[in-house]
């Protein structure tokens, strides 16, 4: 089983560099052909002060992966 790990993506609509992080993660993971992809944390730039980042990050990740929510989320890569 191949497991890909993502951490510190810091997704945020407030910063184009942060949006680019999603694309960079996708490019890095795609050739691995992983069975499971796990995001380890720091998914937003500052979701506590900017709650809209949480919804944005969820949307970005949902487009990239099939995922399950929980304390963390994990999913299989889906590139659409």
């Amino acid at each position: 089983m191949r497991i890909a790990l993502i951490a510190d993506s810091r997704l945020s609509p407030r910063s184009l560099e942060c949006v680019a992080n999603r694309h960079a993660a996708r490019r890095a993971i795609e050739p691995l052909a992983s069975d499971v992809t796990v995001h380890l944390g720091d998914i937003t730039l500052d979701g506590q002060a900017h709650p809209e980042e949480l919804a944005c990050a969820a949307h970005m990740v949902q487009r990239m992966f099939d995922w399950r929510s929980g304390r963390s989320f994990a999913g299989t890569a889906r590139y659409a």
Side-chain angles (χ1 to χ4, degrees):
M1 173 182 274
R2 291 178 183 237
I3 301 172
L5 303 176
I6 301 174
D8 303 321
S9 56
R10 303 192 192 284
L11 302 173
S12 172
R14 297 182 299 123
S15 168
L16 292 178
E17 292 85 0
C18 291
V19 173
N21 286 345
R22 177 184 77 119
H23 301 296
R26 179 179 169 175
R27 284 191 306 272
I29 291 171
E30 189 172 38
L32 300 176
S34 62
D35 298 303
V36 175
T37 302
V38 179
H39 195 292
L40 298 175
D42 290 337
I43 194 166
T44 64
L45 184 62
D46 190 0
Q48 187 171 10
H50 298 275
E52 69 279 4
E53 289 182 0
L54 298 171
C56 180
H59 176 74
M60 287 182 188
V61 171
Q62 188 173 22
R63 291 188 61 196
M64 196 162 110
F65 303 107
D66 292 321
W67 62 286
R68 295 183 297 275
S69 182
R71 180 174 176 156
S72 298
F73 62 83
T76 56
R78 178 187 73 201
Y79 301 104

